[in-house]
Amino acid sequence: MDKPKHISVLLDECIENLNIKPDGIYVDGTLGLGGHSEQILKRLTTGRLIGIDRDETAIQRTGERLKAYADKMTLVHGNFCDVAQILDELCVDAVDGMLFDLGVSSPQLDESERGFSYMNDAPLDMRMDNTSALTAWNVVNEWPEDELVRILRDYGEERFARRIASRIVERRADKPVETTLELVDIIKSAMPAAALREKQHPAKRSFQAIRIAVNDELGAVEQMMRTAPDKLKIGGRLCVISFHSLEDRIVKTSIAARENGCTCPREAPICVCGFVKTLKSVHRKPVLPSEDELKNNPRARSAKLRVAERV
């Protein structure tokens, strides 16, 4: 099998903002093919990297690719939303930095059998973790029409959500929808001609919505942002790359809640609500890809990096 091609998004910006200490402990909560992890490992001497991924294939591939660093690398098959629990199980009280890249990895998109792509025919799957029970087949063929409308509208920002959901329900009444290209045809059949002529592929938003639902991606981000910052040392950095406005909003508001969560009236002389500031934003606005990166990696175009520091 050819090695999957992958370009790590905002790589230099992440490494710079992590402020890596040679003896520090760092977490890459979304290991993928290990592009970010490799650059962290290169900067460690006596330090340690803990890499987490839901995809067992990613763990195996990256473990092999980075085996030269095996003495300072621990790889864990798990969900990044459970990072606090994973660190407890590893008897790690606190870390110097955490990185989470919330995008789908290139191999998952490029390997058609995974069912993430609307460009190739494959069984409806879309699981990041192949041991999970819920697949895209279940969502498409078993979820109620109103729930399909909700995820297409909220997760995919699909303006034809109701028409697409109605067409899916109509088709599956005859026989289950089995493959990605079957679903693409259904989506296209529900959209007006003008929408089909738009530059963006007509199935892109719907596939994104179903993928998010299958993997509970927003719930995972919410849980991670609730618990992960508490495992940072004072001065430790949290770096989160998002690709979707809903993910970015969760990250942004979660940081703000830990930074500016005091509910006391402005005229109050002292805080009496009990708020304790635990994070501060390192940058006022998200860090965006450079023009050079966008030329080399178009998949980075919607990426936003938010960085916060434990205080």
Side-chain angles (χ1 to χ4, degrees):
M1 180 186 295
D2 293 338
K3 290 184 178 180
K5 183 180 179 182
H6 179 69
I7 304 174
S8 297
V9 172
L10 290 163
L11 178 59
D12 293 340
E13 292 84 353
C14 287
I15 298 305
E16 177 184 348
N17 278 282
L18 280 172
N19 283 351
I20 297 169
K21 303 174 184 177
D23 61 347
I25 303 175
Y26 294 87
V27 171
D28 185 344
T30 47
L31 182 69
L33 284 179
H36 293 105
S37 285
E38 183 175 17
Q39 293 304 314
I40 295 171
L41 287 162
K42 285 180 177 180
R43 290 160 173 79
L44 299 180
T45 53
T46 58
R48 180 182 181 190
L49 172 79
I50 299 164
I52 303 167
D53 206 288
R54 300 173 72 171
D55 188 342
E56 286 185 295
T57 302
I59 295 287
Q60 293 166 2
R61 282 178 174 157
T62 301
E64 177 63 25
R65 192 174 78 80
L66 300 181
K67 61 184 177 182
Y69 302 101
D71 60 330
K72 49 188 173 184
M73 177 176 66
T74 302
L75 301 185
V76 179
H77 176 227
N79 193 323
F80 68 81
C81 70
D82 298 320
V83 60
Q85 178 183 334
I86 289 169
L87 291 175
D88 286 341
E89 291 171 353
L90 294 173
C91 299
V92 176
D93 294 329
V95 301
D96 296 278
M98 295 184 181
L99 169 65
F100 300 92
D101 178 347
L102 304 180
V104 181
S105 71
S106 295
Q108 290 171 334
L109 290 171
D110 295 338
E111 294 170 359
S112 60
E113 66 270 17
R114 302 294 296 272
F116 285 97
S117 174
Y118 43 78
M119 302 299 291
N120 301 292
D121 205 18
L124 280 172
D125 194 323
M126 300 193 198
R127 290 175 295 174
M128 292 182 179
D129 180 352
N130 287 331
T131 66
S132 297
L134 183 67
T135 69
W137 189 97
N138 300 117
V139 172
V140 169
N141 289 292
E142 297 175 348
W143 283 21
E145 183 172 343
D146 286 346
E147 188 66 1
L148 290 176
V149 173
R150 183 188 69 82
I151 65 168
L152 293 173
R153 181 191 63 226
D154 294 350
Y155 299 169
E157 299 175 304
E158 173 55 70
R159 62 190 189 277
F160 302 110
R162 188 159 294 282
R163 293 174 63 159
I164 293 170
S166 176
R167 191 59 56 87
I168 289 172
V169 171
E170 178 184 317
R171 288 287 188 90
R172 76 189 192 191
D174 293 332
K175 66 180 185 65
V177 182
E178 300 287 353
T179 72
T180 52
L181 290 190
E182 280 185 65
L183 180 58
V184 169
D185 287 341
I186 293 168
I187 293 167
K188 287 181 175 179
S189 72
M191 300 176 77
L196 297 177
R197 292 193 294 269
E198 294 175 0
K199 184 177 181 181
Q200 181 172 272
H201 192 285
K204 180 178 180 179
R205 291 181 293 268
S206 295
F207 269 60
Q208 171 184 280
I210 295 167
R211 188 204 76 223
I212 289 174
V214 167
N215 297 289
D216 189 23
E217 293 176 31
L218 299 183
V221 176
E222 289 175 345
Q223 182 175 328
M224 179 270 289
M225 290 301 300
R226 280 197 306 270
T227 59
D230 295 327
K231 300 298 287 186
L232 287 169
K233 297 178 182 178
I234 301 301
R237 292 283 182 90
L238 173 68
C239 295
V240 185
I241 304 171
S242 62
F243 294 80
H244 188 282
S245 60
L246 294 176
E247 293 170 340
D248 181 60
R249 191 176 306 136
I250 293 170
V251 176
K252 178 182 178 180
T253 57
S254 297
I255 293 172
R258 286 175 172 265
E259 184 173 20
N260 306 303
C262 178
T263 58
C264 296
R266 292 192 177 187
E267 62 272 15
I270 60 171
C271 174
V272 294
C273 72
F275 171 72
V276 177
K277 182 175 180 175
T278 54
L279 285 179
K280 69 174 182 180
S281 298
V282 175
H283 306 287
R284 188 171 62 87
K285 293 184 177 180
V287 179
L288 303 178
S290 66
E291 289 298 323
D292 285 343
E293 178 167 4
L294 291 175
K295 289 177 184 176
N296 294 324
N297 185 16
R299 284 178 177 169
R301 64 185 175 274
S302 60
K304 293 181 178 179
L305 168 65
R306 293 194 184 271
V307 185
E309 183 174 287
R310 180 70 190 268
V311 295

